[in-house]
Amino acid sequence: MEKFIKDIDLAMKFYLELQRIDYKGEIKVIGDITLMHDDIGKYDRYSLSISFPKCYPYCFPKVIELSKKIPRISDRHVNEDNTLCFAVDPEERLICKNGIKFKYFLDKVLVPHLSRETYRSFSGKYEDGEYSHGLEGLWEFFSYKLDVSEKDNIVKELERILHEKWQGRNVPCFCGSKIKFKNCHLIKWNGLMVLGTDYLQRILEILKNDLTA
Amino acid sequence: MSFNKNKHLDRVLESYKMKHVDDLMEKYKKKREEIKDALEEKFYDEKVTRAINSGSYAKHTAINKKFDIDICQPFKYQSFDTLEEMADSVYDYFNTEYEDEDLIKHKTRKQHVSTGLTFLLDGEQIQMDVVPGRELAENDYTQSNRLNLHVRARGLDPATSTQTNIQKHIDLIKGKGDERSIIRLLKVWKVNKNKDGMKSFFLELITIEAFERTIEIPNDLWGKLEMTLEFIRDNVLSIRLEDPANSNNIVSDTMTNAEKEVLADDIGIMLDKINEDEENLENYFLVNEEFDVDEEKIKAAALEVARTSVISKPWRQF
């Protein structure tokens, strides 16, 4: 508990408009985040309520945007419980695999997310795209991670990662890239294995079911 | 692209920030200090302290359109035979004796509780109000901050006096960031729609009252503004607002019943129109186009910061 509070308080030193509160025995962070840029100074501001689920720091804190600048609709990545949705589930898991620091979450997840929403409110679109809702987003994530476009091939490759003996590191990669496995797919595969075999197996089952549905 | 009331109001507030008129403010502040120096020299024996800043700029409720900077000069209890003499001495000094090539002499005027000065600085006319006040008892001001003001006769109302406490007025709004934002928005409406009947102090007090009397304050800016507007519409006719520095000064009496009825009607119509079509908000709370945000710059900045994310793309689970 002490470590958890220390982690939050450290971040508060950099985000002076946020404050830690004890709400009915639960630690929360409330207040504002002002978005700043070196050239133009302050360019937007959001009021927020941040809570910490049991899985924290191995998952993201839950954030509700109170200033209602982000419309509470799915197209704007707001979940049904009004919390912001930051990332596709396996990506969140990858980022939090070793436990996340609250300041890192603010700096690298929340502030860029809010900034992306500010951009969206002016331009009407997400400049760098977004994952589709629900399972389709999961397919897109693995397609991006494995650099494979067909759903069949995504499943095949996940099966291969999980259930086949991996080829030798210095052997040319199976994909035909003519570079060694260690410099090609091994990097991608190791990147995904960080998620854990149990988790990957669950994802594989979900994707297979979706494919046959 | 859908209209977002909170975004619009944020943009309005940003465009009316005093920081946009920093250059003018610097000139203003320099002139204000010159006036304080002049008062200190002229009334060396009568003054308690150097004049203090007062008004909306001191309270951080000013907007960058149609604003003036007020100063208040505290005088000793024993100075001047009457409060009227105090008020007239200050007026006479600026009207006849004070020499400043920036001062537009013929515009020096006696106002309700102050002397109004107009300066021409780099082609711009700026207003300054000098409010003289006298201690209530010997050596009382430094302890209590209370002052007696001379209130000049106006229309059928005879001259009178009133007690005030500038520091208390400043402290009243201190730490009330939400209320200040709403007061500034109401001033934007007042200035753009020529609602001169609404006194700024009245607006401040009724906004603070709206926040104090509401159990669940909305989190968003529009929610807070709507709450305040509904409160004014429903209570302006009956509410009694006392000056927190002087319970004998009934601030709600500074508007006539007819003016209050017009205000309630105006706000009612405004709320109806905004409910019919939220984009009507833009007609009531106008962006100060002179200082409107450069959308392209914000977009570029927002995108640059967004791209510092460790997340590839946003997603929604369901």
Side-chain angles (χ1 to χ4, degrees):
Chain A
M1 190 63 170
E2 201 181 316
K3 200 175 159 193
F4 168 56
I5 288 175
K6 210 172 157 188
D7 168 45
I8 293 172
D9 288 352
L10 178 73
M12 302 289 94
K13 288 181 184 166
F14 295 88
Y15 291 85
L16 299 174
E17 294 171 290
L18 293 177
Q19 56 169 320
R20 171 170 61 79
I21 58 159
D22 190 332
Y23 180 74
K24 295 178 183 171
E26 187 193 345
I27 300 292
K28 281 191 171 205
V29 169
I30 57 165
D32 293 352
I33 286 185
T34 300
L35 301 181
M36 302 270 291
H37 185 272
D38 289 346
D39 295 339
I40 66 164
K42 297 171 185 174
Y43 60 89
D44 211 348
R45 183 189 182 91
Y46 291 88
S47 299
L48 308 153
S49 167
I50 305 172
S51 55
F52 300 86
K54 283 202 177 88
C55 56
Y56 180 83
Y58 300 99
C59 65
F60 291 153
K62 299 279 179 201
V63 181
I64 296 178
E65 193 263 320
L66 301 171
S67 38
K68 291 186 183 168
K69 290 183 180 175
I70 305 173
R72 291 179 174 180
I73 52 173
S74 60
D75 282 352
R76 297 297 291 272
H77 306 283
V78 179
N79 294 317
E80 280 164 355
D81 61 358
N82 288 331
T83 57
L84 302 179
C85 185
F86 299 110
V88 66
D89 190 64
E91 188 167 35
E92 176 175 341
R93 211 176 158 94
L94 281 174
I95 293 166
C96 300
K97 63 183 185 292
N98 296 323
I100 191 172
K101 297 279 182 207
F102 187 48
K103 183 172 181 297
Y104 183 83
F105 168 74
L106 295 175
D107 288 346
K108 304 301 281 182
V109 178
L110 184 56
V111 166
H113 182 93
L114 297 173
S115 206
R116 183 149 42 195
E117 289 301 330
T118 295
Y119 179 87
R120 168 72 171 73
S121 69
F122 278 106
S123 67
K125 61 173 182 172
Y126 292 104
E127 186 68 18
D128 297 326
E130 58 188 315
Y131 288 123
S132 301
H133 294 176
L135 277 180
E136 213 44 48
L138 271 186
W139 284 111
E140 288 165 11
F141 173 77
F142 282 100
S143 165
Y144 163 72
K145 280 286 174 189
L146 295 167
D147 197 15
V148 174
S149 52
E150 298 297 319
K151 285 183 179 177
D152 277 349
N153 291 336
I154 291 171
V155 168
K156 274 183 201 160
E157 194 158 333
L158 285 175
E159 292 271 19
R160 197 168 189 164
I161 293 171
L162 283 165
H163 304 130
E164 288 182 20
K165 190 174 181 304
W166 292 12
Q167 63 178 98
R169 292 166 53 81
N170 292 314
V171 175
C173 190
F174 68 90
C175 68
S177 63
K178 293 181 183 168
I179 50 176
K180 288 177 183 175
F181 178 57
K182 69 178 179 188
N183 294 324
C184 188
H185 269 73
L186 181 64
I187 298 167
K188 292 173 192 165
W189 288 14
N190 277 338
L192 287 179
M193 282 305 282
V194 174
L195 290 166
T197 48
D198 290 350
Y199 179 81
L200 266 185
Q201 184 60 46
R202 277 206 309 277
I203 291 281
L204 178 61
E205 293 308 318
I206 291 169
L207 296 182
K208 275 162 77 176
N209 286 339
D210 186 50
L211 199 58
T212 53
Chain B
M1 193 173 26
S2 67
F3 180 75
N4 183 310
K5 296 201 280 285
N6 290 306
K7 282 267 178 201
H8 174 73
L9 293 175
D10 250 5
R11 194 173 146 202
V12 172
L13 282 176
E14 181 61 35
S15 73
Y16 280 96
K17 277 194 173 160
M18 296 303 288
K19 69 172 186 192
H20 298 302
V21 289
D22 267 353
D23 289 350
L24 180 63
M25 282 309 301
E26 281 313 307
K27 291 179 208 160
Y28 222 137
K29 284 178 189 167
K30 195 166 165 268
K31 189 54 71 185
R32 185 178 66 189
E33 294 312 306
E34 284 174 22
I35 296 295
K36 286 183 187 176
D37 289 343
L39 283 164
E40 210 165 4
E41 198 182 321
K42 171 68 184 171
F43 298 104
Y44 186 79
D45 293 328
E46 291 87 357
K47 66 158 181 55
V48 182
T49 61
R50 187 174 168 81
I52 57 163
N53 300 334
S54 59
S56 61
Y57 189 71
K59 293 190 231 177
H60 301 286
T61 56
I63 57 171
N64 60 28
K65 202 170 171 182
K66 217 177 168 185
F67 68 96
D68 47 26
I69 291 187
D70 304 341
I71 57 171
C72 176
Q73 176 61 63
F75 288 115
K76 288 177 187 165
Y77 178 61
Q78 300 289 0
S79 62
F80 309 106
D81 287 339
T82 62
L83 289 172
E84 186 173 11
E85 189 192 323
M86 168 190 75
D88 286 347
S89 298
V90 170
Y91 169 76
D92 291 342
Y93 169 61
F94 285 112
N95 194 39
T96 56
E97 204 177 316
Y98 180 68
E99 288 297 331
D100 182 344
E101 57 186 26
D102 297 327
L103 183 70
I104 307 175
K105 273 271 183 193
H106 71 273
K107 289 200 171 183
T108 300
R109 61 217 170 266
K110 285 183 178 178
Q111 297 178 155
H112 208 33
V113 293
S114 62
T115 292
L117 306 175
T118 305
F119 298 92
L120 188 66
L121 292 176
D122 293 345
E124 281 184 83
Q125 285 194 17
I126 60 170
Q127 313 293 329
M128 195 179 299
D129 294 345
V130 181
V131 182
R134 195 173 66 177
E135 285 184 305
L136 273 64
E138 203 149 359
N139 301 324
D140 176 68
Y141 177 75
T142 47
Q143 309 291 323
S144 72
N145 296 119
R146 292 179 305 175
L147 290 172
N148 269 327
L149 308 183
H150 175 66
V151 182
R152 291 194 173 91
R154 193 160 57 175
L156 295 173
D157 297 331
T160 178
S161 67
T162 188
Q163 199 191 108
T164 196
N165 186 328
I166 306 291
Q167 195 53 47
K168 212 164 193 174
H169 288 172
I170 294 171
D171 292 345
L172 178 72
I173 199 77
K174 227 179 218 171
K176 293 190 167 78
D178 287 345
E179 288 89 330
R180 276 208 298 261
S181 296
I182 301 303
I183 291 164
R184 291 179 66 238
L185 284 170
L186 293 174
K187 283 186 178 178
V188 169
W189 178 56
K190 178 185 154 172
V191 166
N192 287 305
K193 298 290 173 185
N194 300 315
K195 304 285 175 196
D196 293 333
M198 273 195 317
K199 298 283 170 279
S200 293
F201 194 35
F202 183 97
L203 280 183
E204 284 172 22
L205 291 182
I206 202 163
T207 301
I208 290 169
E209 200 70 17
F211 274 73
E212 279 177 1
R213 288 207 205 169
T214 305
I215 296 164
E216 276 194 42
I217 311 280
N219 289 311
D220 62 312
L221 190 54
W222 162 246
K224 287 172 190 146
L225 177 63
E226 187 181 31
M227 173 200 87
T228 309
L229 289 170
E230 284 172 352
F231 182 86
I232 298 174
R233 179 196 62 193
D234 300 339
N235 296 284
V236 68
L237 276 162
S238 56
I239 199 164
R240 178 184 161 90
L241 297 168
E242 286 176 6
D243 179 348
N246 172 12
S247 58
N248 290 323
N249 178 19
I250 311 303
V251 180
S252 44
D253 288 349
T254 56
M255 284 176 76
T256 64
N257 272 349
E259 284 172 331
K260 288 175 187 173
E261 270 175 37
V262 170
L263 178 61
D265 288 347
D266 281 349
I267 289 178
I269 292 166
M270 183 206 304
L271 287 169
D272 287 347
K273 292 264 182 209
I274 296 167
N275 280 334
E276 271 169 32
D277 179 355
E278 55 186 14
E279 290 193 30
N280 281 330
L281 187 72
E282 289 178 310
N283 301 328
Y284 292 101
F285 297 91
L286 279 73
V287 171
N288 186 353
E289 285 180 1
E290 199 181 343
F291 304 114
D292 195 10
V293 286
D294 184 335
E295 215 170 276
E296 288 309 312
K297 277 187 184 168
I298 289 184
K299 273 168 66 178
L303 191 57
E304 196 181 316
V305 174
R307 284 176 173 164
T308 62
S309 180
V310 285
I311 288 163
S312 50
K313 296 175 199 174
W315 176 65
R316 185 179 181 272
Q317 193 171 2
F318 302 107

